[in-house]
Amino acid sequence: MRLRSLLPVLLLIAVSYLPAAAVQLTSGGTSFYQVTLPADPDPLEVRAAEELDRYFTRISGARSLVCTQPTVTIEIGRAANNALLRERAATDPSGFFIEVTGDTVRLAGTTPTATLYAAYALLERIGCRWFMPGEIGEVVPRLGQVSLEQFSAVEVPHFTGRILQTLPKDEASELWALRNRLGGAVYPGAHSWNRLLPPSRYFETNPEYYALVDGERSPKQICTSNPMVIAHIAAAIIEEHTANPEKTWFGIGPNDGGGFCECYDCVALDTGDIDPFTGEESITDRFLTFANAVAEQVHQVYPDIKFAFYAYHNYMLPPKEVMPDPSIIPAIAPIGLCRIHGMGNAVCAERNFHQYLISEWTKISPEVYHRGYSYNLAAPDLPMNYASRWGYEIPYCERAGITGFRVETSMSWANQGPLGWLMAKLMWNADQDPQLLLDDFYNQFYGPAAQPMGRYWSYMDRLRRNAPYHTGNAVNIPDIYSGKDMNYLAERLYEAMRSARTHSPYADRVDIAKKSWDYLHAFLRMREASEQHNWKLALEALDDMRTEGQWLQDYEPMMLQPSGGLGRLERFWAPEVEQGYERTNNGNRLVAAFDDTWRTFMDPTNAGEFLRYWSIRTDDSDWQEMKTYSASWSDQGLRYYRGPLWYRQKVKMWPEWGGRRLVLWLGGVDESAKVWVNDTYIGEI
C-alpha cells in the first residue's frame, strides 16, 4: 500500500479575545505603507511589490498614491521575518505565507514564484479576480481604501504540478496562470524515443535498434529488448543532465502511435493482458522492463534522476508482473476513453475505468500524474462546459493520491466560460466548493447579468453531462444541442444582454458568449445542410463560422485558439463542404445522393472479401441497418468494435443518365475502405 504525506492547504488565523484593529494601507490618494525587499531582490520579488502598488492604487480609485509618513511595513520575499511560517510553507516549492499584524504585512514564498503567488492571494482576499487573460477577464474592486484584518495564513497546494497544457504562450495567458497559481512541477513530454535515439542518426547504420514490424525494421518505435538501445538511451540522458544539471526529469515513453517491435525477445516480455477498449495486447510489462533497465544505468551515475511516461494507448493498463522503479513516474492519459463525460457520471462507465486506473497506478508508484483531456478532439473548439466534470474529478484525484496535473485543454475562453478559472482554483485547493466558486465567477464576471449567464453555462454543462454519447469528435454536437436547447440558450443570452446593456465591461463579456453561441449555431446549420446534401447552404454556414471564429480569434485576448478553432475547422470539416459545393455547382449536378442509412454486416475475421460480400448476388436480407453521416459507430452500439464492416446501398439512376460519365464521391472515410459498384472493384481509399 502506498503511503502518502498529505499537504492540505493550511489556514492559520491569529486568535485574540478582542477584535484586532484593521491595518490601514491606503485611503484615496494617500498610502500609509512602505515596502521592504531583500538587499539583492529577485525580479519576481520586485514584481510582487510592483503588483501590490499597482492594484492598491486602482482599488483606492487614485491615479497614484503618495506616502509621507508610513506607519505599516510590507516585507516581501526573503525580507519577510517569520521563520516559523516560512518553515511551514516550505513543504512545497509553491507554498507561501501571509501575515498581517498591527504595523507589518509579510508576504513570502518558498521560491520567488511562490512569493508572487502570495501577493496575488492577498489581492484576492481584497476582492481582485482574474477570470480570463487580459483586461476583459479582470475584476478590481473600487473601495476608496485598502485595509486588512489581522491574520496569518500558510498555503500549500494540494497538487505539486498544476499545468493546463496548450494554454496559449502569449504574455496575457502566462500572467493569468501566475495570478491563479498554476505552475509547480512541470511533467515533461513523454513521447521521447525518437528524441533519445534519433533515427536520423542510427537507423541507417543500426536498423536492429528499431522495431521489427511484419519482418522489417521500422524507425517508428525502438526495440526495447536490445541491450545497446538501453545503453544508448541511458547515455543520452546522462549526457543531457551533465550539460544541464537543472534538468532532472526526463521523458522516456514510446513515440506516439503504434508500430511496436514484434521480435521474439520483445514479445516474450508481454503477459497476454488485453486492453478491453482497443483489443490490443498490453505492452506495459515490456515497457517497464526497458524503463527499469535505463533507470538502473542512469542511477549509477546520477541517482536522483526521475523518468516520465504516459500510461496511454496499449501501455495504459497497470503491469501484471514488472513493477516500476520508484523514479519512473506515470501520467495517466486514457486517450481511448470517452472525453465528453467525467468520473462519477452514471451515463459513462468508461470514466469508472479511469478511476480504476488511478487506484491501480497509485498503489505501485509513489507519484502519479493526471494527463487527461478537457476538450473534444478534432472538434473546432465548439462551446462545451466541463465545469461539473472537473468540479468532481479534481477533488477525487486529490483523495485518490494523484500528485499533479498536466491536462490537455483547448482554453478557448469564449467557448468554455468559467472552466479554466475553476480548474485553476481547485488544482490549488481541492477542498473548495465548486458551486461557490462558480457563483463567484457569475456574480463578479457578469455583474447584473449574473443570473441569466449562470443559467446559460449551467444548462450547457447539464446538456454535456447527461448526453448519452461518448465520441471524441464533434459528430454528436447536433445531438447534444437540439433546436429547443439552442433556443433556451439564446433566451438566456438575450436576457443577459438586456440586463448588462448599459454596464461596461459586463455587456462586452456577455457579447463574447453571444459570439460563441453564433459560432455554434453556424456549425449546427452547416451539419444539417450537409446531411441534406444542400452544399450551398452548408458553405454559407461554413463561411459564417469562419466570420464568427475570426472575431473570437482576433479578440484581445484571443477567445478562440487558432489551431484548435479555425485550424480544426479547416482541417476536419471544411473540405467536405467545399468539395460538396464544387461537385454540385459550376456546371456539375447532383444526380443521386446516398441515404444516411445503409445495410451493414460485421466482419471481425475479415473473411467478407473471400465470401464475396461485395457481390450484388449476396443475400443481405439479414444485414443490419446503420446510419453513416449522422451517427457514429459508438452511437449505434459498436463503441469498442475495431474490425471491418461491410456497407451496402442501392442507388436508383434515371435512364437519362445512361451512358454518361458519372463521378462517385465519398465525402469522408474513417479509416480506409474498399469500394465495389455492381460487382466492379473501384479502388481503396
Side-chain angles (χ1 to χ4, degrees), residues 159-237:
F159 299 99
T160 295
R162 307 168 303 282
I163 306 298
L164 295 180
Q165 184 175 310
T166 68
L167 193 68
K169 299 300 183 184
D170 59 278
E171 183 180 354
S173 297
E174 292 180 353
L175 185 55
W176 174 86
L178 266 176
R179 287 169 169 168
N180 288 291
R181 304 197 281 286
L182 289 175
V186 180
Y187 192 93
H191 293 309
S192 305
W193 284 354
N194 275 356
R195 189 184 71 81
L196 295 169
L197 195 76
S200 60
R201 180 176 177 182
Y202 293 106
F203 184 68
E204 186 174 343
T205 57
N206 297 94
E208 71 276 10
Y209 289 177
Y210 298 90
L212 183 69
V213 179
D214 294 331
E216 296 184 2
R217 294 289 173 177
S218 166
K220 192 170 184 181
Q221 305 288 358
I222 63 175
C223 178
T224 57
S225 63
N226 188 319
M228 291 303 298
V229 168
I230 295 169
H232 274 297
I233 288 181
I237 293 172

Side-chain angles (χ1 to χ4, degrees), residues 151 201 231 238 241 351 354 401 439 464 494 507 524 650 670:
F151 74 97
R201 180 176 177 182
I238 291 169
H241 177 68
R351 307 310 296 186
H354 192 175
D439 289 343
R464 175 203 55 79
Y494 285 117
L524 295 173
K650 294 180 180 179
D670 186 10

